[in-house]
Amino acid sequence: RAAAFSGGASGEERRRRPAKERKMAKMEVKTSLLDNMIGVGDMVLLEPLAEESFISNLQQRFDHGEIYTYIGSVVISVNPYRSLPIYSPETVEEYRNRNFYELRPHIFALSDEAYRSLRDQDKDQCILITGESGAGKTEASKLVMSYVAAVCGKGAEVNQVKEQLLQSNPVLEAFGNAKTVRNDNSSRFGKYMDIEFDFKGDPLGGVISNYLLEKSRVVKQPRGERNFHIFYQILSGGSEDMLQNLKLERDFSRYNYLSLDSAKVNGVDDAANFRTVRNAMQIVGFMDHETQSVFEVVAAVLKLGNIEFKPESRVNGLDESKIKDKNELKEICELTGIDQSVLERAFSFRTVEAKQEKVSTTLNVAQAYYARDALAKNLYSRLFSWLVTRINESIKAQTKVRKKVMGVLDIYGFEIFEDNSFEQFIINYCNEKLQQIFILLTLKEEQEEYIREGIAWTPVEFFDNSVICDLIENNTGGILAMLDEECLRPGEVNEATFLAKLNQVFKEHKRYESRVTQNAKRIMDASLLADCFRIHHYAGKVTYNVTGFIEKNNDLLYRDLSQAMWKAKHELLHTLFPEGDPEKVSFKRPPTAGFQFKASVATLMKNLYSKKPNYIRCIKPNDTKKPAVFTDILVRTQVRYLGLMENVRVRRAGYAYRQAYEPCLKRYKMLCKETWPHWNGNARDGVQALLGSLLIDPKDLAYGYTKIFIRTPALLFNLEDQRQRRVEELAALIQATYRAWKCRMHYQMMRKSQILIAARFRGHMQKKKYSKMKMASLLIQAYVRGWKSRKLLRELKEQKRRTQAATIISAYWKGYQSRRLLWELKEEKRQARAATTIGAYWKGYQTRKDYKKYFRSGASACISTFIYRRLVQKFLLGLKNNLPSMTVIDHTWPPAPYKFLTDANQELKKIFHHWRCKKYRDQLPPQRKTALQDKLCASELFRDKKSLYAKSLSQPFRGEYLGLKENPKYRKLQSTADGKLVMADNVRKVNRGDGKASPRLFLLTKSHVILADSKAAQPKTVITLSDIDGVSVSRYSDGFFVLHLKETSTAGSKGDFLLISDHLIELVTRLHQTVLETTKQKLKLQVTDEFLVKFKQGSITVKVVETAEKQGTAPICRKKGSHRMEVLVH
């Protein structure tokens, strides 16, 4: 089909298209749910509808990487156990603001539908994610939250709320998830999060509720599984100092509560995850001392497992337990601040209070181990609840305005194991309630849509599981009520009496079975043991072993241990056990685990009923956690557990497919001549005309107010087949039309080319003919000019020959005259030289004769000159051996040994110092040279002029004082500087009216000065360097300066700027250098105590006055009348 719409273009032409054009064309393609469909994207359209075809369709889509499938508005998600490229930001934008059925099935489509319903229709939403362990529920909830975070509003506060909501997941996963046989990151608690939004759809905060943490995992784990992640993360990722403070060792084998056969998980880095958790806790809002307290409680739980007991007989014959090694107990007490004797007694004795009487009994070894494990489970469970409460405090909405709510429920799926206990019983009870609300709300939604569209509603037959829910939760005759009754009943209570009571009450119940009820009905079933009962759930039959039901439902913690924990000096541990306060002792029995969970489920159901539900059903394709492996039996079991076939039947009870008139007409309008290519009426009439022309049985159609309803999937697929054939016909028509147009264009182009070529050829021939004629004329002209030139040359040569002959004769004559004159002069000179030589000899004789008289008088001068030269040579050689060090700050110099060498010694000192400075400068790095040049420039500007200069000598010029790169708040300012930043500093701008100072951000770039708001980090004033006229400062040690602007400056419309800086010397120096570099002109710097400043209303005089009274560190500006301002400095 793509080739048909390509218009017959060749592969070469398509390759020549610009890449940007091809990319835009690709982005404009919209893929409908029905286009290029692998299998059936919506199970409502599956024909025939059977469990085999259902599973086969899921496998076909899974094998092609399509892990999402719809059942109406329900999303089925099959865990791929590998990364898929379908969650990128481009995919988020693709599904943003799109109709639910417009694109192929995806979890983003459901997330977008829920978010837009909440934002635009003001309907509270909830997303229910169910499935068994390892099916991908936690990842699905993360994807929903990440999508909502990506499409909602932006801004600093909104981003902070989104980040806190997202970062709450790693914290809860570390403390509530564990490695199981089925899943390396299995959630061992149920989580429901309400995300709160404002009227614009921006997140304000959230509230998290947790359900039934599997605290029994703290003390015992099944083979091949681990304890909660946080224990392994602390031991792997904690620093040596941290472990020492927590009194822990890195070796896992040192702790009895940690399973050793699965301590290490392939592909899981516990140390890196620990760093992630600590960072997440910091982002969510945990203080450092709170984080430390949490880790101390975790360490105490871990060390509780190492406490061991030994039996000891008392005098009265009763057995008593004693702690074998008290070192672990001592370290726990040091961590928690508990008196060691109090905790030791709580592990050995139990106090029972009744009617003002106290009875203390000893605990045997078994009871002591039970007390230890009960304390560890309660301690960890309460810590987890405290973490949820603390996270809620951080992420809750801070405003009291009306909020919209989107709930995300990530809870256990239906569980059937070989040995099902109390945990599976209440988990399956919760799933029964969720199935009940799903069926009721789905039927309600269907019925409301039919009524809204004006179509008659046909009652639907479906399995109502309220009888199962009533069997479990009935307040008087339910299983949970009877379990609570057994726990409270005096006398001997055990699981056998509880099971006997169930058999008696439910012996006629169709959904309950046990060995006793089967025997009464003469049914033999070896799989149903004597200590078990069976319930026929909506998803299948589940056999529960009653062993441990009463103990797990009681969930008792001895009062002595509660009081010991309350007495702890550890603040967090103290708050976890409020019932341990002796002044608030309650003799009322605490609520059972079953009662608490039932109340939580009731609250959850009430919450879900108040919102519009959206469903994600997660399926695990195999037990080996391998990609591309689809186990038919396992998936079939989960399909039954989740009741997916029931979902499809409810959805298909009336009309299998419905669509709004506008997209329906747009998709199928090419099937009718009346509607193709354009329909001018309303969409409903168009669809009626379209479907009426196709001879479709009216019984298979229903026309609502806004939607068309189609009864059978076969009719829809028939429409798709007709559309496909029509599209191919239209593609052929488009190809033919395009080829005809291309041929016409080709002919017209050839005709134009022929005319152009002929015209160019005729022009070329005329140009060639003209060139030949021009060359001939030029050749004739050249020959004529050559003949004339040669004739003139001969005449000139003759004239020149005659002139040269006369010149030669004249030259010979002049030479003869000159040589004769020269001989005469030489003769006269020879005679004169002879006379001079004779006179010189005579004078020499007379001089030598007279010199003998004065020889002795000249010897002293000669000797003194020799001595002077020797002294100078000795001084220079001594100076060579005693030169000072090469340090430029060393000003020592050997003194002159003789007074006459003093001036020379000072000159040599100057020369040596200059040479030493040059050597020092040559070895400096470029950055240090630049810093010294800046200091030199500052010296030239302020030395002996301003008192502040002396204080700035020891302060290096940093240039950047704001931390633009580290602080994301200043990211926009950094982009404004665009890599040309010279200096960034905090300044205070003085108000021209009242003299008050307000903070500003001062940015100096290569071309501008930028003044920005310090809170919003937004530029307020941008000044071009060429608009700066000068700077005025005082001569005192203050940071006050005036930035004078030229009158033609647009930024100076309100006048000059009065600013205060803590780095005045550096700021003015860098401004001077930058202005000189940019404008090739020096900055005008005025150092005076009184100067004129131009304001918008006129000019005023600013006078700087030094005061002895110290009124803060910054200068104080006071307005004195309308034309004068005083600046007080100290």
Side-chain angles (χ1 to χ4, degrees):
R1 192 184 307 168
F5 279 97
S6 66
S10 65
E12 184 62 30
E13 289 176 341
R14 287 195 297 271
R15 283 192 295 272
R16 287 198 296 266
R17 291 175 187 168
K20 184 176 181 181
E21 180 181 341
R22 296 198 301 271
K23 184 178 180 181
M24 290 178 64
K26 182 178 179 181
M27 290 174 64
E28 291 173 359
V29 174
K30 294 184 179 180
T31 305
S32 170
L33 174 68
L34 300 173
D35 285 339
N36 303 322
M37 189 165 55
I38 298 173
V40 179
D42 191 343
M43 290 294 187
V44 176
L45 305 178
L46 187 64
E47 277 295 335
L49 178 58
E51 189 176 83
E52 291 297 332
S53 59
F54 191 98
I55 303 297
S56 176
N57 186 58
L58 277 181
Q59 182 171 5
Q60 182 183 2
R61 292 178 60 77
F62 178 78
D63 292 341
H64 288 82
E66 296 289 341
I67 64 172
Y68 296 113
T69 308
Y70 292 155
I71 302 178
S73 59
V74 178
V75 176
I76 302 175
S77 172
V78 183
N79 193 341
Y81 288 117
R82 61 191 175 98
S83 299
L84 295 176
I86 58 175
Y87 307 109
S88 62
E90 292 77 13
T91 308
V92 172
E93 289 301 320
E94 184 180 357
Y95 280 87
R96 186 173 185 176
N97 295 326
R98 291 291 188 87
N99 183 276
F100 185 76
Y101 296 103
E102 187 175 350
L103 301 174
R104 66 182 185 178
H106 201 291
I107 194 172
F108 286 170
L110 181 136
S111 305
D112 186 74
E113 182 77 12
Y115 176 72
R116 285 192 292 113
S117 297
L118 176 137
R119 182 192 63 191
D120 302 335
Q121 301 176 18
D122 204 17
K123 294 181 181 178
D124 288 349
Q125 304 287 316
C126 65
I127 299 177
L128 280 68
I129 307 172
T130 57
E132 72 171 60
S133 179
K137 301 187 298 298
T138 303
E139 289 302 318
S141 66
K142 290 180 184 178
L143 290 171
V144 171
M145 294 179 63
S146 64
Y147 179 85
V148 174
V151 300
C152 63
K154 310 296 180 184
E157 294 183 3
V158 175
N159 289 339
Q160 182 181 3
V161 171
K162 291 193 292 187
E163 187 68 14
Q164 286 185 336
L165 290 173
L166 294 175
Q167 290 300 324
S168 64
N169 281 325
V171 180
L172 294 179
E173 285 184 13
F175 287 86
N177 288 25
K179 189 262 183 190
T180 65
V181 177
R182 298 185 176 185
N183 188 0
D184 290 343
N185 188 31
S186 176
S187 297
R188 308 316 300 161
F189 71 104
K191 181 179 73 172
Y192 177 76
M193 173 183 282
D194 268 335
I195 308 174
E196 300 173 335
F197 298 83
D198 62 8
F199 70 96
K200 302 189 300 296
D202 295 339
L204 297 173
V207 178
I208 299 174
S209 302
N210 64 300
Y211 301 96
L212 193 66
L213 177 72
E214 189 190 10
K215 56 186 178 183
S216 60
R217 181 172 292 271
V218 174
V219 299
K220 185 178 180 181
Q221 307 91 42
R223 185 170 185 82
E225 299 189 3
R226 294 205 314 176
N227 210 324
F228 291 101
H229 292 327
I230 189 62
F231 295 112
Y232 304 93
Q233 291 175 357
I234 287 180
L235 297 180
S236 300
S239 63
E240 295 297 335
D241 292 339
M242 178 182 176
L243 294 180
Q244 185 176 359
N245 293 334
L246 297 178
K247 305 185 184 305
L248 296 176
E249 298 180 19
R250 208 174 292 279
D251 185 8
F252 295 158
S253 62
R254 287 276 294 110
Y255 304 99
N256 298 330
Y257 279 167
L258 298 185
S259 175
L260 298 181
D261 56 342
S262 301
K264 294 291 185 180
V265 181
N266 293 332
V268 176
D269 188 349
D270 289 318
N273 291 340
F274 181 66
R275 292 190 292 270
T276 302
V277 170
R278 296 202 67 169
N279 183 56
M281 293 179 74
Q282 184 178 5
I283 293 174
V284 170
F286 282 81
M287 307 300 289
D288 290 341
H289 71 275
E290 291 177 324
T291 304
Q292 181 64 23
S293 298
V294 170
F295 293 152
E296 288 172 352
V297 173
V298 173
V301 171
L302 199 56
K303 296 183 76 62
L304 273 174
N306 290 351
I307 295 180
E308 295 182 350
F309 302 94
K310 60 183 179 179
E312 186 173 303
S313 299
R314 303 184 69 182
V315 177
N316 55 9
L318 297 177
D319 288 338
E320 181 183 354
S321 64
K322 290 291 183 180
I323 297 176
K324 289 183 179 180
D325 184 4
K326 297 183 181 180
N327 185 50
E328 294 285 353
L329 181 68
K330 178 183 177 183
E331 291 183 350
I332 293 174
C333 293
E334 291 175 356
L335 272 175
T336 58
I338 302 175
D339 188 351
Q340 183 174 344
S341 61
V342 173
L343 186 57
E344 184 177 0
R345 176 175 175 78
F347 280 133
S348 302
F349 295 88
R350 179 187 179 188
T351 303
V352 180
E353 299 183 22
K355 296 182 180 180
Q356 307 299 325
E357 295 183 2
K358 293 185 178 180
V359 178
S360 181
T361 61
T362 60
L363 300 179
N364 57 31
V365 173
Q367 291 172 333
Y369 277 116
Y370 172 82
R372 180 200 69 177
D373 292 344
L375 176 61
K377 290 187 290 184
N378 271 271
L379 194 55
Y380 192 82
S381 176
R382 297 182 188 209
L383 173 65
F384 187 78
S385 299
W386 180 87
L387 281 171
V388 174
T389 304
R390 178 63 183 83
I391 292 173
N392 286 338
E393 291 177 1
S394 295
I395 67 176
K396 68 180 179 181
Q398 302 298 324
T399 178
K400 295 183 179 180
V401 299
R402 182 181 178 278
K403 298 177 280 290
K404 305 176 184 180
V405 178
M406 176 185 289
V408 180
L409 177 64
D410 175 8
I411 202 163
Y412 354 77
F414 202 88
E415 292 187 351
I416 301 179
F417 299 143
E418 292 183 4
D419 185 16
N420 301 288
S421 187
F422 180 73
E423 291 85 0
Q424 283 69 47
F425 176 71
I426 57 178
I427 286 173
N428 293 342
Y429 159 62
C430 180
N431 278 272
E432 285 286 355
K433 297 293 289 183
L434 291 175
Q435 177 68 9
Q436 184 183 35
I437 192 176
F438 169 73
I439 296 296
L440 294 178
L441 290 179
T442 301
L443 285 175
K444 180 182 177 183
E445 184 179 355
E446 285 284 300
Q447 186 175 6
E448 287 178 351
E449 183 172 15
Y450 277 51
I451 295 172
R452 188 168 57 248
E453 294 293 330
I455 297 175
W457 168 254
T458 304
V460 179
E461 293 185 3
F462 64 95
F463 169 66
D464 186 1
N465 69 336
S466 58
V467 62
I468 304 174
C469 296
D470 187 68
L471 169 67
I472 299 173
E473 69 180 1
N474 189 282
N475 291 330
T476 56
I479 295 177
L480 286 175
M482 284 189 284
L483 180 61
D484 288 348
E485 185 178 333
E486 283 296 302
C487 292
L488 297 174
R489 185 170 62 84
E492 183 179 357
V493 179
N494 53 42
E495 284 78 5
T497 60
F498 167 63
L499 184 59
K501 192 169 186 178
L502 292 182
N503 294 332
Q504 180 183 358
V505 175
F506 300 121
K507 60 183 177 181
E508 301 297 333
H509 203 288
K510 295 181 180 180
R511 293 283 168 177
Y512 175 86
E513 285 182 350
S514 69
R515 175 69 66 85
V516 174
T517 61
Q518 284 186 346
N519 290 339
K521 297 176 184 178
R522 293 181 173 81
I523 299 174
M524 296 301 294
D525 187 355
S527 63
L528 188 57
L529 304 179
D531 58 349
C532 297
F533 67 90
R534 181 179 295 157
I535 294 179
H536 294 215
H537 289 281
Y538 77 93
K541 299 179 181 180
V542 184
T543 302
Y544 299 102
N545 191 327
V546 296
T547 304
F549 262 55
I550 292 178
E551 177 187 332
K552 294 176 180 178
N553 190 49
N554 272 325
D555 193 22
L556 290 178
L557 179 67
Y558 296 150
R559 184 173 298 155
D560 301 76
L561 290 172
S562 298
Q563 293 177 351
M565 295 298 106
W566 184 83
K567 293 177 182 178
K569 297 178 182 179
H570 194 279
E571 183 178 354
L572 174 57
L573 191 60
H574 176 80
T575 59
L576 294 180
F577 293 87
E579 75 277 10
D581 188 352
E583 296 180 1
K584 300 179 182 179
V585 174
S586 174
F587 296 103
K588 184 178 179 181
R589 190 180 182 90
T592 62
F595 178 83
Q596 295 180 37
F597 188 75
K598 178 182 172 183
S600 300
V601 170
T603 304
L604 176 63
M605 294 301 113
K606 182 179 178 181
N607 198 351
L608 297 181
Y609 271 116
S610 66
K611 297 178 174 62
K612 181 182 181 301
N614 303 271
Y615 300 93
I616 301 174
R617 305 296 201 186
C618 299
I619 292 178
K620 181 171 65 173
N622 60 76
D623 277 327
T624 58
K625 295 178 275 192
K626 293 181 179 179
V629 177
F630 191 92
T631 306
D632 184 276
I633 298 176
L634 178 64
V635 175
R636 189 183 304 271
T637 304
Q638 294 175 79
V639 169
R640 293 173 182 170
Y641 290 172
L642 295 172
L644 298 184
M645 293 298 295
E646 189 77 14
N647 297 356
V648 179
R649 293 189 184 100
V650 171
R651 182 71 178 182
R652 288 180 55 160
Y655 293 89
Y657 185 75
R658 72 283 317 262
Q659 189 176 26
Y661 288 120
E662 188 70 34
C664 180
L665 179 62
K666 184 177 180 181
R667 183 168 184 83
Y668 300 110
K669 63 182 180 179
M670 72 282 295
L671 300 180
C672 178
K673 293 182 179 179
E674 297 180 35
T675 58
W676 178 258
H678 300 291
W679 173 259
N680 297 324
N682 61 62
R684 190 177 191 275
D685 295 338
V687 172
Q688 284 182 328
L690 167 66
L691 298 178
S693 67
L694 297 177
L695 302 177
I696 299 174
D697 188 354
K699 295 180 181 179
D700 291 335
L701 300 173
Y703 295 95
Y705 297 131
T706 62
K707 293 181 180 179
I708 176 69
F709 288 73
I710 300 175
R711 187 176 298 277
T712 62
L715 177 56
L716 178 65
F717 292 140
N718 184 30
L719 285 174
E720 282 295 312
D721 292 339
Q722 294 184 51
R723 178 182 179 273
Q724 181 67 22
R725 290 193 296 270
R726 182 57 179 160
V727 166
E728 292 175 357
E729 293 173 1
L730 292 175
L733 178 61
I734 293 172
Q735 282 183 323
T737 305
Y738 174 77
R739 291 192 186 104
W741 171 82
K742 189 173 182 181
C743 289
R744 284 194 299 272
M745 294 299 295
H746 183 65
Y747 166 74
Q748 292 175 2
M749 188 178 297
M750 290 181 64
R751 185 172 179 273
K752 289 181 181 178
S753 300
Q754 187 273 334
I755 294 172
L756 181 63
I757 292 171
R760 293 285 177 89
F761 179 75
R762 287 194 296 270
H764 171 71
M765 294 304 293
Q766 292 298 324
K767 288 178 183 178
K768 191 173 180 181
K769 183 178 180 181
Y770 169 75
S771 298
K772 289 182 177 179
M773 293 177 65
K774 184 178 179 181
M775 289 179 63
S777 62
L778 291 175
L779 185 60
I780 295 171
Q781 290 177 353
Y783 271 104
V784 172
R785 284 195 294 270
W787 174 75
K788 289 183 177 181
S789 298
R790 286 192 295 273
K791 182 179 178 182
L792 179 62
L793 180 62
R794 284 195 298 271
E795 294 176 353
L796 291 175
K797 281 184 177 180
E798 182 64 24
Q799 183 179 354
K800 183 179 179 181
R801 186 175 63 79
R802 293 175 179 173
T803 304
Q804 286 179 346
T807 302
I808 291 172
I809 294 171
S810 175
Y812 270 100
W813 171 251
K814 289 178 180 177
Y816 166 73
Q817 293 289 340
S818 298
R819 286 192 295 275
R820 183 175 179 182
L821 179 60
L822 179 61
W823 180 82
E824 292 177 352
L825 290 174
K826 283 184 178 180
E827 184 65 22
E828 291 178 0
K829 185 177 181 180
R830 187 179 63 79
Q831 293 177 359
R833 185 182 297 168
T836 302
T837 301
I838 294 171
Y841 270 99
W842 173 252
K843 289 179 180 178
Y845 167 74
Q846 291 292 333
T847 300
R848 285 191 297 274
K849 187 177 180 181
D850 296 336
Y851 181 71
K852 292 179 181 180
K853 300 177 181 179
Y854 304 102
F855 174 74
R856 294 185 181 275
S857 61
S860 61
C862 198
I863 294 171
S864 65
T865 300
F866 173 77
I867 294 173
Y868 173 78
R869 289 178 178 174
R870 289 295 298 160
L871 290 176
V872 170
Q873 185 180 13
K874 182 179 180 182
F875 165 68
L876 292 177
L877 291 174
L879 188 61
K880 173 185 175 183
N881 298 325
N882 295 303
L883 286 175
S885 65
M886 295 296 290
T887 306
V888 294
I889 59 174
D890 185 5
H891 296 289
T892 60
W893 185 259
Y898 304 103
K899 189 174 182 180
F900 73 90
L901 294 174
T902 301
D903 294 339
N905 191 44
Q906 291 299 322
E907 287 299 323
L908 289 173
K909 180 180 179 180
K910 291 179 181 178
I911 292 171
F912 177 78
H913 182 67
H914 289 164
W915 174 78
R916 182 169 55 183
C917 290
K918 180 180 181 304
K919 288 289 186 180
Y920 176 74
R921 287 194 302 271
D922 291 343
Q923 67 183 8
L924 285 177
Q927 185 177 0
R928 180 63 177 162
K929 282 186 178 179
T930 304
L932 290 178
Q933 289 173 356
D934 293 343
K935 287 288 186 178
L936 179 61
C937 181
S939 174
E940 294 173 353
L941 292 175
F942 295 104
R943 186 176 182 182
D944 298 331
K945 297 179 183 178
K946 186 170 178 63
S947 302
L948 184 63
Y949 170 73
K951 298 179 181 179
S952 70
L953 289 176
S954 60
Q955 301 173 356
F957 287 176
R958 290 167 47 194
E960 214 282 90
Y961 295 91
L962 297 181
L964 294 179
K965 295 182 179 179
E966 294 80 7
N967 196 335
K969 178 180 178 183
Y970 299 141
R971 194 168 297 157
K972 187 172 182 181
L973 288 177
Q974 187 180 5
S975 62
T976 304
D978 194 19
K980 300 180 180 180
L981 185 68
V982 177
M983 183 173 180
D985 192 12
N986 288 297
V987 300
R988 294 178 293 282
K989 177 179 173 293
V990 179
N991 189 287
R992 301 179 178 93
D994 54 9
K996 294 183 179 180
S998 56
R1000 289 288 186 272
L1001 303 179
F1002 183 91
L1003 277 75
L1004 174 61
T1005 69
K1006 295 291 186 179
S1007 57
H1008 296 85
V1009 171
I1010 302 171
L1011 292 176
D1013 190 344
S1014 61
K1015 293 182 179 180
Q1018 297 288 338
K1020 296 182 71 69
T1021 306
V1022 180
I1023 306 170
T1024 307
L1025 293 181
S1026 58
D1027 291 342
I1028 298 177
D1029 190 40
V1031 175
S1032 296
V1033 299
S1034 72
R1035 57 189 178 86
Y1036 303 114
S1037 299
D1038 59 283
F1040 179 81
F1041 70 98
V1042 178
L1043 193 64
H1044 298 286
L1045 303 181
K1046 296 179 181 178
E1047 295 181 356
T1048 57
S1049 169
T1050 56
S1053 59
K1054 294 183 180 180
D1056 299 338
F1057 287 90
L1058 281 67
L1059 304 171
I1060 302 173
S1061 172
D1062 294 335
H1063 309 94
L1064 175 65
I1065 300 299
E1066 180 182 357
L1067 189 147
V1068 176
T1069 301
R1070 293 190 182 277
L1071 182 61
H1072 172 81
Q1073 293 174 332
T1074 308
V1075 169
L1076 181 61
E1077 180 182 351
T1078 304
T1079 64
K1080 308 303 181 182
Q1081 295 180 356
K1082 291 186 177 180
L1083 179 69
K1084 298 178 183 178
L1085 177 62
Q1086 183 181 5
V1087 184
T1088 179
D1089 299 341
E1090 186 171 340
F1091 35 78
L1092 196 64
V1093 179
K1094 293 180 291 183
F1095 284 173
K1096 183 177 182 180
Q1097 296 79 5
S1099 299
I1100 69 167
T1101 302
V1102 176
K1103 184 174 182 180
V1104 182
V1105 179
E1106 186 177 26
T1107 61
E1109 183 180 358
K1110 187 173 182 180
Q1111 301 179 356
T1113 58
I1116 300 174
C1117 301
R1118 296 175 179 173
K1119 197 76 178 289
K1120 298 289 186 177
S1122 59
H1123 297 287
R1124 188 174 181 85
M1125 178 183 285
E1126 271 191 3
V1127 181
L1128 303 181
V1129 300
H1130 62 273

